[in-house]
Amino acid sequence: MHGWIILDKPLGLGSTQAVSAVKRNLRAAGFGKVKVGHGGTLDPLATGLLPIALGEATKLCGRMLDASKTYDFTICFGTETSGLDAEGEIVATSDHRPTLAQIEAVLAQFTGPIAQIPPAYSAIKIDGKRAYDLARAGEVVEMKSRYVMVHDLSIHTDEGIGALDSVTLTADVSKGTYIRSLARDIAYAVGTVGHVAMLRRTRAGPFSLQSAISLDKLNAFGQGAAQEDIILPIEAGLVDIPALDLSPEQARAVQQGRVLTGIAMKDGLHWARGADLRPIALVQNIDGILKTVRGFNLTP
């Protein structure tokens, strides 16, 4: 069993719980023990796309973690919370409410490479301990600023005219970007405070919600429903990079981890495949030298 289950994660379910649900339903469907991993944590208060890798696809989880992602999120103005979300304690308030024009005017400040301070309630490690564990223990957590990339930021929907209590935005961001911090800083920029009231991931790397299934559909699969559209092939996680067709001799060399030269191709990451079109390996070409990055053990 190798491939992907793209789950539309419901509110309240953690990423680890989602992985457990996949394992449970695979066992119930008769697939026995399957290696399972996810391609990017999604908080219980967030919904949306969670790529879950099966078997040899788990070798691509690191690449999925590094991929850019797209989120829809709603900023609720007037209150800032300790966790910068709807569950935290209120730590600041403001009577000021921005207009749509004021929000639009500051978005350019948050597009491109930006510095942001992650939330204290995050999984970042400080002296070997998770920041959220320290924060929950009542310790003052000093988070260091870090640079991230916001590829695109736009207004998704506005909630009326005049002064707004909330606004929904869409952000396409690099790995390591905290949407809660982005919402906080946008609120500051328009002269108020705010927190994330809704967060939904709509894309992760090559995957979109179009290929996602509900938890109900996953559970139905475990109860005997057809596998169709439940498990995507491993190459579904590779469609954003070029494929490289190899001869049988070249395929054997790549599977053995040998370096190849003399193949006319562009520099960069590719996925190599043999005559049966099965993925053999992730390969990197630099100046005509082709090296294996990660091999796949997929038997016919």
Side-chain angles (χ1 to χ4, degrees):
M1 173 56 62
H2 310 287
W4 300 90
I5 290 177
I6 311 303
L7 186 65
D8 187 349
K9 189 190 78 65
L11 191 69
L13 189 74
S15 298
T16 302
Q17 292 171 303
V19 168
S20 296
V22 167
K23 289 180 177 178
R24 183 176 63 251
N25 280 286
L26 285 171
R27 286 195 301 270
F31 286 100
K33 191 174 182 180
V34 179
K35 189 175 183 181
V36 181
H38 67 74
T41 300
L42 205 54
D43 292 340
L45 290 179
T47 66
L49 196 145
L50 180 64
I52 298 179
L54 313 176
E56 288 293 285
T58 57
K59 294 178 178 178
L60 296 171
C61 283
R63 183 172 177 269
M64 200 59 58
L65 290 170
D66 289 341
S68 63
K69 299 172 178 67
T70 303
Y71 297 88
D72 294 338
F73 63 104
T74 299
I75 308 173
C76 182
F77 297 114
T79 55
E80 181 178 328
T81 66
S82 55
L84 302 179
D85 56 27
E87 270 195 354
E89 297 178 2
I90 294 174
V91 296
T93 61
S94 172
D95 292 330
H96 177 67
R97 300 292 184 272
T99 65
L100 191 62
Q102 289 172 328
I103 297 167
E104 289 177 326
V106 304
L107 295 188
Q109 300 175 29
F110 301 97
T111 306
I114 65 168
Q116 69 170 200
I117 298 174
Y121 286 83
S122 65
I124 293 172
K125 285 190 175 181
I126 299 175
D127 296 329
K129 296 182 179 180
R130 299 289 185 186
Y132 55 66
D133 288 331
L134 297 172
R136 286 168 184 158
E139 295 188 31
V140 176
V141 181
E142 221 174 288
M143 306 300 293
K144 294 182 179 179
S145 178
R146 56 172 59 186
Y147 277 92
V148 296
M149 176 65 75
V150 178
H151 302 291
D152 189 65
L153 180 62
S154 61
I155 292 176
H156 183 75
T157 60
D158 63 271
E159 281 67 24
I161 58 175
L164 300 179
D165 289 322
S166 63
V167 68
T168 300
L169 307 176
T170 297
D172 181 10
V173 301
S174 70
K175 76 164 189 173
T177 304
Y178 281 91
I179 299 297
R180 288 175 290 154
S181 294
L182 185 62
R184 173 200 61 203
D185 295 343
I186 290 171
Y188 288 169
V190 293
T192 186
V193 295
H195 67 270
V196 171
M198 181 281 294
L199 178 62
R200 181 164 176 77
R201 186 154 69 195
T202 60
R203 184 188 64 82
F207 296 116
S208 70
L209 282 173
Q210 290 180 332
S211 55
I213 63 168
S214 67
L215 185 61
D216 285 344
K217 191 169 183 179
L218 174 65
N219 290 334
F221 165 65
Q223 294 164 9
Q227 181 179 331
E228 186 181 1
D229 299 328
I230 298 291
I231 300 173
L232 303 180
I234 188 172
E235 51 265 38
L238 298 167
V239 296
D240 55 337
I241 58 174
L244 175 64
D245 292 312
L246 299 178
S247 68
E249 184 180 347
Q250 290 169 333
R252 281 193 297 273
V254 167
Q255 287 172 319
Q256 292 166 3
R258 288 189 277 139
V259 173
L260 293 179
T261 58
I263 300 177
M265 58 185 294
K266 292 182 179 179
D267 280 0
L269 196 66
H270 297 67
W271 62 280
R273 61 188 181 186
D276 59 2
L277 302 184
R278 286 184 300 112
I280 295 171
L282 275 180
V283 294
Q284 181 88 24
N285 185 59
I286 301 175
D287 296 331
I289 299 174
L290 188 72
K291 294 182 178 181
T292 300
V293 176
R294 201 72 194 262
F296 302 119
N297 183 24
L298 299 174
T299 54

